[in-house]
Amino acid sequence: MNDVRELYGQMIIDHGRKPRNFHLMADHTAMKVGYNPLCGDKLVLYVKVENKQVVDASFQGEGCAISMASASMMTEALKGKSLEEATTLFGHFHHMVTEGLSDEDESALGKLAILSGVNAYPARVKCASLAWQTLNAALSGDDNDVSTE
Ligand code: ZN
């Protein structure tokens, strides 16, 4: 069990240090700024949606390892998902970090479930949720910047 925890920790550290899809996207269809003042995490999320499908997702910004890893893994998971699937994923992720990981969450989220550990650390929930809340606002067409406060 400890080995598994160690592996999950390594995966978060790896994504935190070398975030995937970490670049500006010039031809995005939606862009949103998200900010977590509690920790100082800030990111700009870019998504490209065509025919109700997320064809590309990227981000830029700076923050703690959890926030960067969460954004990195989220952008990887989003590519190729329909808007409906993306919204469902958001729901499972939100449930996982606030209420705890259910079996349904685990099967829907796949490796994103490694972030379920933040559930035990309320301050970290906002770090892990930032990218997802920003995504939700971007897809719903909300004009305001996102703040976790
Ligand atoms: Zn943070």
Side-chain angles (χ1 to χ4, degrees):
M1 191 62 199
N2 282 334
D3 287 346
V4 174
R5 281 201 191 127
E6 176 70 12
L7 177 70
Y8 287 178
Q10 287 300 327
M11 201 188 231
I12 291 172
I13 289 166
D14 180 53
H15 273 269
R17 283 187 184 153
K18 292 178 290 185
R20 319 300 195 269
N21 308 306
F22 191 80
H23 57 81
L24 186 150
M25 191 197 303
D27 61 343
H28 61 265
T29 57
M31 170 194 150
K32 183 61 68 185
V33 176
Y35 184 47
N36 172 21
L38 197 70
C39 179
D41 310 317
K42 188 169 188 182
L43 59 84
V44 185
L45 178 72
Y46 304 95
V47 288
K48 187 176 178 184
V49 177
E50 286 175 355
N51 300 321
K52 298 190 175 181
Q53 188 180 28
V54 181
V55 292
D56 203 3
S58 71
F59 75 107
Q60 288 187 303
E62 54 187 347
C64 66
I66 298 278
S67 67
M68 291 295 108
S70 181
S72 173
M73 285 189 268
M74 181 189 80
T75 51
E76 277 195 325
L78 281 177
K79 290 188 194 182
K81 294 278 191 299
S82 69
L83 289 180
E84 199 178 326
E85 288 169 333
T87 303
T88 302
L89 264 190
F90 169 79
H92 282 294
F93 192 89
H94 184 72
H95 181 268
M96 172 182 81
V97 295
T98 56
E99 307 287 330
L101 184 70
S102 69
D103 290 345
E104 291 82 8
D105 295 339
E106 191 165 19
S107 62
L109 290 165
K111 71 176 184 176
L112 291 166
I114 68 171
L115 286 161
S116 64
V118 302
N119 177 238
Y121 306 93
R124 288 299 186 191
V125 169
K126 290 181 176 178
C127 300
S129 302
L130 178 63
W132 289 88
Q133 289 190 9
T134 307
L135 170 74
N136 198 40
L139 295 183
S140 65
D142 186 342
D143 279 340
N144 298 315
D145 288 351
V146 175
S147 173
T148 55
E149 290 300 291

